[in-house]
mmCIF file of all heavy atoms in Angstrom:
data_model
loop_
_atom_site.group_PDB
_atom_site.id
_atom_site.type_symbol
_atom_site.label_atom_id
_atom_site.label_comp_id
_atom_site.label_asym_id
_atom_site.label_seq_id
_atom_site.Cartn_x
_atom_site.Cartn_y
_atom_site.Cartn_z
ATOM 1 N N SER A 1 9.182 4.728 -8.054
ATOM 2 C CA SER A 1 9.689 3.912 -9.101
ATOM 3 C C SER A 1 8.736 2.726 -9.196
ATOM 4 O O SER A 1 7.985 2.374 -8.369
ATOM 5 C CB SER A 1 11.075 3.495 -8.838
ATOM 6 O OG SER A 1 11.151 2.567 -7.752
ATOM 7 N N ALA A 2 8.923 1.941 -10.368
ATOM 8 C CA ALA A 2 8.139 0.920 -10.632
ATOM 9 C C ALA A 2 8.528 -0.163 -9.598
ATOM 10 O O ALA A 2 7.636 -1.042 -9.139
ATOM 11 C CB ALA A 2 8.297 0.368 -12.052
ATOM 12 N N ALA A 3 9.682 -0.241 -9.348
ATOM 13 C CA ALA A 3 10.172 -1.253 -8.286
ATOM 14 C C ALA A 3 9.549 -0.892 -6.939
ATOM 15 O O ALA A 3 9.104 -1.944 -6.200
ATOM 16 C CB ALA A 3 11.719 -1.270 -8.073
ATOM 17 N N ASP A 4 9.370 0.378 -6.521
ATOM 18 C CA ASP A 4 8.725 0.592 -5.239
ATOM 19 C C ASP A 4 7.241 0.084 -5.385
ATOM 20 O O ASP A 4 6.846 -0.559 -4.203
ATOM 21 C CB ASP A 4 8.789 2.101 -4.950
ATOM 22 C CG ASP A 4 10.094 2.656 -4.817
ATOM 23 O OD1 ASP A 4 10.976 1.974 -4.303
ATOM 24 O OD2 ASP A 4 10.359 3.903 -4.996
ATOM 25 N N VAL A 5 6.604 0.403 -6.271
ATOM 26 C CA VAL A 5 5.138 -0.075 -6.347
ATOM 27 C C VAL A 5 5.072 -1.485 -6.372
ATOM 28 O O VAL A 5 4.311 -2.233 -5.628
ATOM 29 C CB VAL A 5 4.611 0.522 -7.660
ATOM 30 C CG1 VAL A 5 3.146 -0.030 -7.796
ATOM 31 C CG2 VAL A 5 4.425 1.876 -7.716
ATOM 32 N N LEU A 6 5.966 -2.197 -7.076
ATOM 33 C CA LEU A 6 5.884 -3.746 -7.178
ATOM 34 C C LEU A 6 6.316 -4.359 -5.813
ATOM 35 O O LEU A 6 5.632 -5.348 -5.356
ATOM 36 C CB LEU A 6 6.866 -4.270 -8.253
ATOM 37 C CG LEU A 6 6.399 -4.081 -9.544
ATOM 38 C CD1 LEU A 6 7.566 -4.311 -10.785
ATOM 39 C CD2 LEU A 6 5.139 -4.864 -9.994
ATOM 40 N N THR A 7 7.220 -3.755 -5.068
ATOM 41 C CA THR A 7 7.701 -4.256 -3.786
ATOM 42 C C THR A 7 6.444 -4.059 -2.788
ATOM 43 O O THR A 7 6.136 -5.050 -2.025
ATOM 44 C CB THR A 7 8.870 -3.532 -3.268
ATOM 45 O OG1 THR A 7 9.829 -3.666 -4.175
ATOM 46 C CG2 THR A 7 9.195 -4.020 -1.863
ATOM 47 N N ARG A 8 5.807 -2.896 -2.819
ATOM 48 C CA ARG A 8 4.787 -2.626 -1.863
ATOM 49 C C ARG A 8 3.558 -3.605 -2.185
ATOM 50 O O ARG A 8 2.928 -4.067 -1.306
ATOM 51 C CB ARG A 8 4.283 -1.245 -1.993
ATOM 52 C CG ARG A 8 3.251 -0.856 -1.153
ATOM 53 C CD ARG A 8 3.496 -0.574 0.356
ATOM 54 N NE ARG A 8 2.245 -0.302 1.099
ATOM 55 C CZ ARG A 8 2.444 0.054 2.354
ATOM 56 N NH1 ARG A 8 3.573 0.030 3.038
ATOM 57 N NH2 ARG A 8 1.305 0.470 3.021
ATOM 58 N N HIS A 9 3.275 -3.715 -3.543
ATOM 59 C CA HIS A 9 2.152 -4.700 -3.832
ATOM 60 C C HIS A 9 2.502 -6.130 -3.399
ATOM 61 O O HIS A 9 1.587 -6.758 -2.876
ATOM 62 C CB HIS A 9 1.921 -4.598 -5.281
ATOM 63 C CG HIS A 9 0.683 -5.397 -5.694
ATOM 64 N ND1 HIS A 9 -0.611 -4.854 -5.765
ATOM 65 C CD2 HIS A 9 0.560 -6.718 -6.109
ATOM 66 C CE1 HIS A 9 -1.376 -5.853 -6.188
ATOM 67 N NE2 HIS A 9 -0.672 -6.849 -6.367
ATOM 68 N N ALA A 10 3.783 -6.524 -3.576
ATOM 69 C CA ALA A 10 4.002 -7.853 -3.049
ATOM 70 C C ALA A 10 3.834 -8.031 -1.624
ATOM 71 O O ALA A 10 3.563 -9.134 -1.204
ATOM 72 C CB ALA A 10 5.536 -8.256 -3.533
ATOM 73 N N GLU A 11 4.035 -7.020 -0.855
ATOM 74 C CA GLU A 11 3.858 -7.104 0.626
ATOM 75 C C GLU A 11 2.515 -7.252 1.182
ATOM 76 O O GLU A 11 2.204 -8.021 2.027
ATOM 77 C CB GLU A 11 4.546 -5.853 1.280
ATOM 78 C CG GLU A 11 6.087 -5.680 1.120
ATOM 79 C CD GLU A 11 6.683 -4.561 1.634
ATOM 80 O OE1 GLU A 11 5.840 -3.626 1.962
ATOM 81 O OE2 GLU A 11 7.952 -4.445 1.618
ATOM 82 N N ASN A 12 1.643 -6.469 0.462
ATOM 83 C CA ASN A 12 0.282 -6.437 0.978
ATOM 84 C C ASN A 12 -0.889 -6.413 -0.057
ATOM 85 O O ASN A 12 -2.018 -6.048 0.259
ATOM 86 C CB ASN A 12 -0.031 -5.237 2.105
ATOM 87 C CG ASN A 12 0.078 -3.960 1.461
ATOM 88 O OD1 ASN A 12 0.605 -3.646 0.392
ATOM 89 N ND2 ASN A 12 -0.417 -2.987 2.132
ATOM 90 N N GLY A 13 -0.531 -6.630 -1.269
ATOM 91 C CA GLY A 13 -1.589 -6.402 -2.359
ATOM 92 C C GLY A 13 -1.984 -7.700 -2.878
ATOM 93 O O GLY A 13 -2.768 -7.636 -3.888
ATOM 94 N N GLN A 14 -1.815 -8.877 -2.347
ATOM 95 C CA GLN A 14 -2.255 -10.031 -2.889
ATOM 96 C C GLN A 14 -3.761 -10.167 -2.759
ATOM 97 O O GLN A 14 -4.498 -9.919 -1.748
ATOM 98 C CB GLN A 14 -1.727 -11.310 -2.131
ATOM 99 C CG GLN A 14 -0.314 -11.462 -2.113
ATOM 100 C CD GLN A 14 0.195 -11.809 -3.468
ATOM 101 O OE1 GLN A 14 -0.182 -12.703 -4.196
ATOM 102 N NE2 GLN A 14 1.109 -10.931 -3.988
ATOM 103 N N GLY A 15 -4.381 -10.340 -3.979
ATOM 104 C CA GLY A 15 -5.943 -10.348 -4.097
ATOM 105 C C GLY A 15 -6.479 -8.974 -3.973
ATOM 106 O O GLY A 15 -7.741 -8.795 -3.899
ATOM 107 N N ARG A 16 -5.625 -7.824 -4.050
ATOM 108 C CA ARG A 16 -6.139 -6.549 -3.850
ATOM 109 C C ARG A 16 -5.681 -5.674 -4.915
ATOM 110 O O ARG A 16 -4.871 -6.008 -5.802
ATOM 111 C CB ARG A 16 -5.729 -6.017 -2.474
ATOM 112 C CG ARG A 16 -6.148 -6.902 -1.294
ATOM 113 C CD ARG A 16 -5.639 -6.343 -0.035
ATOM 114 N NE ARG A 16 -5.995 -7.402 1.045
ATOM 115 C CZ ARG A 16 -7.205 -7.441 1.688
ATOM 116 N NH1 ARG A 16 -8.185 -6.640 1.342
ATOM 117 N NH2 ARG A 16 -7.278 -8.362 2.660
ATOM 118 N N ILE A 17 -6.102 -4.395 -5.012
ATOM 119 C CA ILE A 17 -5.764 -3.344 -6.075
ATOM 120 C C ILE A 17 -4.639 -2.321 -5.415
ATOM 121 O O ILE A 17 -4.916 -1.831 -4.445
ATOM 122 C CB ILE A 17 -7.005 -2.661 -6.418
ATOM 123 C CG1 ILE A 17 -8.037 -3.583 -7.092
ATOM 124 C CG2 ILE A 17 -6.629 -1.524 -7.363
ATOM 125 C CD1 ILE A 17 -9.349 -2.896 -7.577
ATOM 126 N N SER A 18 -3.602 -2.165 -6.142
ATOM 127 C CA SER A 18 -2.806 -1.059 -6.003
ATOM 128 C C SER A 18 -2.997 -0.022 -6.991
ATOM 129 O O SER A 18 -3.106 -0.305 -8.244
ATOM 130 C CB SER A 18 -1.300 -1.550 -5.914
ATOM 131 O OG SER A 18 -1.005 -2.273 -4.866
ATOM 132 N N LEU A 19 -3.164 1.206 -6.628
ATOM 133 C CA LEU A 19 -3.621 2.263 -7.499
ATOM 134 C C LEU A 19 -2.459 3.350 -7.731
ATOM 135 O O LEU A 19 -2.075 3.843 -6.678
ATOM 136 C CB LEU A 19 -4.919 2.966 -7.114
ATOM 137 C CG LEU A 19 -5.483 3.970 -7.868
ATOM 138 C CD1 LEU A 19 -5.927 3.542 -9.385
ATOM 139 C CD2 LEU A 19 -6.713 4.480 -7.331
ATOM 140 N N VAL A 20 -2.136 3.733 -8.989
ATOM 141 C CA VAL A 20 -1.113 4.788 -9.286
ATOM 142 C C VAL A 20 -1.917 5.827 -10.078
ATOM 143 O O VAL A 20 -2.483 5.437 -11.233
ATOM 144 C CB VAL A 20 -0.082 4.204 -10.010
ATOM 145 C CG1 VAL A 20 0.996 5.300 -10.239
ATOM 146 C CG2 VAL A 20 0.571 3.100 -9.234
ATOM 147 N N VAL A 21 -2.064 7.013 -9.658
ATOM 148 C CA VAL A 21 -2.880 7.960 -10.355
ATOM 149 C C VAL A 21 -1.903 9.109 -10.833
ATOM 150 O O VAL A 21 -1.191 9.894 -9.904
ATOM 151 C CB VAL A 21 -3.894 8.592 -9.481
ATOM 152 C CG1 VAL A 21 -4.785 9.508 -10.302
ATOM 153 C CG2 VAL A 21 -4.820 7.512 -8.906
ATOM 154 N N MET A 22 -1.799 9.435 -12.122
ATOM 155 C CA MET A 22 -0.978 10.350 -12.685
ATOM 156 C C MET A 22 -1.905 11.516 -13.319
ATOM 157 O O MET A 22 -2.993 11.320 -13.507
ATOM 158 C CB MET A 22 -0.097 9.780 -13.894
ATOM 159 C CG MET A 22 0.827 8.786 -13.460
ATOM 160 S SD MET A 22 2.091 9.459 -12.211
ATOM 161 C CE MET A 22 3.123 7.988 -11.952
ATOM 162 N N ASN A 23 -1.265 12.804 -13.437
ATOM 163 C CA ASN A 23 -2.020 13.829 -13.849
ATOM 164 C C ASN A 23 -2.314 13.917 -15.267
ATOM 165 O O ASN A 23 -3.193 14.634 -15.711
ATOM 166 C CB ASN A 23 -1.506 15.117 -13.366
ATOM 167 C CG ASN A 23 -1.437 15.218 -11.780
ATOM 168 O OD1 ASN A 23 -2.333 14.695 -11.119
ATOM 169 N ND2 ASN A 23 -0.631 16.043 -11.210
ATOM 170 N N THR A 24 -1.414 13.348 -16.170
ATOM 171 C CA THR A 24 -1.494 13.420 -17.600
ATOM 172 C C THR A 24 -1.422 11.958 -18.158
ATOM 173 O O THR A 24 -0.878 11.071 -17.622
ATOM 174 C CB THR A 24 -0.328 14.250 -18.153
ATOM 175 O OG1 THR A 24 0.856 13.557 -17.953
ATOM 176 C CG2 THR A 24 -0.328 15.780 -17.561
ATOM 177 N N VAL A 25 -1.892 11.849 -19.491
ATOM 178 C CA VAL A 25 -1.776 10.599 -20.121
ATOM 179 C C VAL A 25 -0.500 10.259 -20.433
ATOM 180 O O VAL A 25 0.045 9.069 -20.278
ATOM 181 C CB VAL A 25 -2.774 10.696 -21.400
ATOM 182 C CG1 VAL A 25 -2.395 9.403 -22.306
ATOM 183 C CG2 VAL A 25 -4.173 11.006 -21.142
ATOM 184 N N SER A 26 0.476 11.131 -20.791
ATOM 185 C CA SER A 26 1.854 10.877 -21.158
ATOM 186 C C SER A 26 2.557 10.305 -19.891
ATOM 187 O O SER A 26 3.302 9.405 -20.049
ATOM 188 C CB SER A 26 2.552 12.085 -21.714
ATOM 189 O OG SER A 26 2.537 13.111 -20.650
ATOM 190 N N THR A 27 2.391 10.903 -18.686
ATOM 191 C CA THR A 27 3.031 10.282 -17.571
ATOM 192 C C THR A 27 2.522 8.970 -17.132
ATOM 193 O O THR A 27 3.170 8.063 -16.631
ATOM 194 C CB THR A 27 3.018 11.266 -16.331
ATOM 195 O OG1 THR A 27 1.680 11.678 -16.157
ATOM 196 C CG2 THR A 27 3.799 12.530 -16.577
ATOM 197 N N ALA A 28 1.144 8.739 -17.278
ATOM 198 C CA ALA A 28 0.591 7.463 -17.036
ATOM 199 C C ALA A 28 1.228 6.286 -17.901
ATOM 200 O O ALA A 28 1.474 5.288 -17.497
ATOM 201 C CB ALA A 28 -0.818 7.572 -17.111
ATOM 202 N N LYS A 29 1.271 6.765 -19.194
ATOM 203 C CA LYS A 29 1.723 5.669 -20.088
ATOM 204 C C LYS A 29 3.313 5.423 -19.883
ATOM 205 O O LYS A 29 3.626 4.204 -19.991
ATOM 206 C CB LYS A 29 1.470 6.260 -21.620
ATOM 207 C CG LYS A 29 0.124 6.386 -22.032
ATOM 208 C CD LYS A 29 -0.017 7.102 -23.377
ATOM 209 C CE LYS A 29 0.556 6.395 -24.425
ATOM 210 N NZ LYS A 29 0.406 7.176 -25.815
ATOM 211 N N ALA A 30 3.944 6.392 -19.525
ATOM 212 C CA ALA A 30 5.308 6.151 -19.264
ATOM 213 C C ALA A 30 5.626 5.343 -18.014
ATOM 214 O O ALA A 30 6.376 4.389 -17.978
ATOM 215 C CB ALA A 30 6.094 7.501 -19.037
ATOM 216 N N PHE A 31 4.751 5.492 -16.928
ATOM 217 C CA PHE A 31 4.861 4.701 -15.701
ATOM 218 C C PHE A 31 4.418 3.293 -16.123
ATOM 219 O O PHE A 31 5.050 2.357 -15.526
ATOM 220 C CB PHE A 31 4.138 5.432 -14.629
ATOM 221 C CG PHE A 31 4.468 4.799 -13.310
ATOM 222 C CD1 PHE A 31 5.598 5.138 -12.561
ATOM 223 C CD2 PHE A 31 3.667 3.773 -12.738
ATOM 224 C CE1 PHE A 31 5.828 4.586 -11.274
ATOM 225 C CE2 PHE A 31 4.045 3.079 -11.514
ATOM 226 C CZ PHE A 31 5.133 3.601 -10.774
ATOM 227 N N TYR A 32 3.390 3.246 -16.756
ATOM 228 C CA TYR A 32 2.871 1.767 -17.076
ATOM 229 C C TYR A 32 3.990 1.062 -17.815
ATOM 230 O O TYR A 32 4.275 -0.163 -17.516
ATOM 231 C CB TYR A 32 1.738 1.955 -17.952
ATOM 232 C CG TYR A 32 1.215 0.607 -18.515
ATOM 233 C CD1 TYR A 32 0.528 -0.223 -17.698
ATOM 234 C CD2 TYR A 32 1.201 0.306 -19.904
ATOM 235 C CE1 TYR A 32 -0.130 -1.477 -18.284
ATOM 236 C CE2 TYR A 32 0.657 -0.789 -20.398
ATOM 237 C CZ TYR A 32 -0.019 -1.676 -19.584
ATOM 238 O OH TYR A 32 -0.494 -2.862 -20.022
ATOM 239 N N ALA A 33 4.707 1.676 -18.797
ATOM 240 C CA ALA A 33 5.770 1.000 -19.522
ATOM 241 C C ALA A 33 6.931 0.778 -18.630
ATOM 242 O O ALA A 33 7.421 -0.390 -18.775
ATOM 243 C CB ALA A 33 6.272 1.954 -20.668
ATOM 244 N N GLU A 34 7.215 1.481 -17.568
ATOM 245 C CA GLU A 34 8.291 1.244 -16.611
ATOM 246 C C GLU A 34 7.848 -0.034 -15.806
ATOM 247 O O GLU A 34 8.728 -0.744 -15.491
ATOM 248 C CB GLU A 34 8.387 2.449 -15.715
ATOM 249 C CG GLU A 34 9.497 2.204 -14.733
ATOM 250 C CD GLU A 34 9.686 3.463 -13.885
ATOM 251 O OE1 GLU A 34 9.131 4.448 -14.121
ATOM 252 O OE2 GLU A 34 10.251 3.329 -12.699
ATOM 253 N N LEU A 35 6.533 -0.049 -15.402
ATOM 254 C CA LEU A 35 6.078 -1.301 -14.662
ATOM 255 C C LEU A 35 6.295 -2.576 -15.462
ATOM 256 O O LEU A 35 6.853 -3.610 -14.869
ATOM 257 C CB LEU A 35 4.656 -1.152 -14.321
ATOM 258 C CG LEU A 35 4.248 -0.540 -13.000
ATOM 259 C CD1 LEU A 35 2.774 -0.440 -12.896
ATOM 260 C CD2 LEU A 35 4.847 -1.287 -11.754
ATOM 261 N N LEU A 36 5.862 -2.522 -16.732
ATOM 262 C CA LEU A 36 5.945 -3.742 -17.556
ATOM 263 C C LEU A 36 7.474 -4.127 -17.670
ATOM 264 O O LEU A 36 7.828 -5.316 -17.718
ATOM 265 C CB LEU A 36 5.452 -3.498 -18.970
ATOM 266 C CG LEU A 36 3.882 -3.253 -18.922
ATOM 267 C CD1 LEU A 36 3.383 -3.204 -20.354
ATOM 268 C CD2 LEU A 36 3.142 -4.458 -18.307
ATOM 269 N N ALA A 37 8.306 -3.117 -17.849
ATOM 270 C CA ALA A 37 9.831 -3.526 -18.064
ATOM 271 C C ALA A 37 10.414 -3.939 -16.817
ATOM 272 O O ALA A 37 11.180 -4.823 -16.774
ATOM 273 C CB ALA A 37 10.510 -2.090 -18.515
ATOM 274 N N GLU A 38 9.958 -3.512 -15.733
ATOM 275 C CA GLU A 38 10.449 -4.059 -14.313
ATOM 276 C C GLU A 38 10.101 -5.448 -14.153
ATOM 277 O O GLU A 38 10.706 -6.259 -13.518
ATOM 278 C CB GLU A 38 9.848 -3.094 -13.229
ATOM 279 C CG GLU A 38 10.459 -3.434 -11.894
ATOM 280 C CD GLU A 38 11.991 -3.105 -11.623
ATOM 281 O OE1 GLU A 38 12.522 -2.275 -12.479
ATOM 282 O OE2 GLU A 38 12.732 -3.704 -10.855
ATOM 283 N N MET A 39 8.798 -5.795 -14.535
ATOM 284 C CA MET A 39 8.333 -7.081 -14.475
ATOM 285 C C MET A 39 8.884 -8.213 -15.457
ATOM 286 O O MET A 39 8.653 -9.274 -15.312
ATOM 287 C CB MET A 39 6.900 -7.178 -14.476
ATOM 288 C CG MET A 39 6.074 -6.355 -13.472
ATOM 289 S SD MET A 39 4.380 -6.261 -13.705
ATOM 290 C CE MET A 39 3.849 -7.921 -13.666
ATOM 291 N N THR A 40 9.516 -7.551 -16.511
ATOM 292 C CA THR A 40 10.056 -8.602 -17.553
ATOM 293 C C THR A 40 11.356 -9.064 -17.159
ATOM 294 O O THR A 40 12.443 -8.170 -16.683
ATOM 295 C CB THR A 40 10.274 -7.799 -18.817
ATOM 296 O OG1 THR A 40 8.939 -7.334 -19.288
ATOM 297 C CG2 THR A 40 10.778 -8.731 -20.023
ATOM 298 N N PRO A 41 11.711 -10.386 -17.099
ATOM 299 C CA PRO A 41 13.022 -10.916 -16.650
ATOM 300 C C PRO A 41 14.183 -10.352 -17.638
ATOM 301 O O PRO A 41 13.993 -10.303 -18.816
ATOM 302 C CB PRO A 41 12.913 -12.348 -16.750
ATOM 303 C CG PRO A 41 11.404 -12.601 -16.758
ATOM 304 C CD PRO A 41 10.811 -11.443 -17.319
ATOM 305 N N ARG A 42 15.268 -9.894 -16.971
ATOM 306 C CA ARG A 42 16.407 -9.393 -17.805
ATOM 307 C C ARG A 42 17.426 -10.520 -18.124
ATOM 308 O O ARG A 42 17.778 -11.234 -17.245
ATOM 309 C CB ARG A 42 17.063 -8.198 -17.115
ATOM 310 C CG ARG A 42 16.161 -7.071 -16.686
ATOM 311 C CD ARG A 42 17.021 -5.965 -15.994
ATOM 312 N NE ARG A 42 16.030 -4.844 -15.657
ATOM 313 C CZ ARG A 42 15.316 -4.844 -14.488
ATOM 314 N NH1 ARG A 42 15.248 -5.918 -13.615
ATOM 315 N NH2 ARG A 42 14.635 -3.760 -14.177
ATOM 316 N N PRO A 43 17.870 -10.604 -19.396
ATOM 317 C CA PRO A 43 18.839 -11.610 -19.608
ATOM 318 C C PRO A 43 20.124 -11.169 -19.054
ATOM 319 O O PRO A 43 20.576 -10.057 -18.823
ATOM 320 C CB PRO A 43 18.992 -11.401 -21.257
ATOM 321 C CG PRO A 43 18.497 -9.989 -21.543
ATOM 322 C CD PRO A 43 17.528 -9.713 -20.571
ATOM 323 N N SER A 44 20.832 -12.309 -18.633
ATOM 324 C CA SER A 44 22.087 -12.049 -17.986
ATOM 325 C C SER A 44 23.205 -11.647 -19.013
ATOM 326 O O SER A 44 23.189 -11.797 -20.182
ATOM 327 C CB SER A 44 22.674 -13.403 -17.352
ATOM 328 O OG SER A 44 22.739 -14.339 -18.425
ATOM 329 N N LYS A 45 24.095 -10.675 -18.531
ATOM 330 C CA LYS A 45 25.187 -10.176 -19.407
ATOM 331 C C LYS A 45 26.320 -11.345 -19.530
ATOM 332 O O LYS A 45 26.948 -11.346 -20.686
ATOM 333 C CB LYS A 45 25.763 -8.885 -18.900
ATOM 334 C CG LYS A 45 24.669 -7.847 -18.838
ATOM 335 C CD LYS A 45 25.349 -6.548 -18.339
ATOM 336 C CE LYS A 45 24.317 -5.584 -18.363
ATOM 337 N NZ LYS A 45 24.876 -4.142 -17.785
#
């Protein structure tokens, strides 16, 4: 999940590259959108 990738990057990715490789353009675009959504602050209910 995007949360898994962000958590792992926060642990040891400072100043470094974390790489996610997908087999198709559609899955890469979907995961990229999920990452951006996970990094966007959510308004409180």
Side-chain angles (χ1 to χ4, degrees):
S1 67
D4 295 335
V5 173
L6 289 170
T7 299
R8 176 76 178 186
H9 184 85
E11 292 173 354
N12 67 341
Q14 295 299 306
R16 304 179 187 277
I17 294 176
S18 293
L19 180 59
V20 182
V21 186
M22 299 295 187
N23 294 336
T24 65
V25 174
S26 58
T27 52
K29 290 171 65 176
F31 193 84
Y32 175 73
E34 184 183 342
L35 267 178
L36 295 182
E38 186 70 23
M39 295 172 63
T40 303
R42 301 180 180 84
S44 60
K45 296 182 180 180

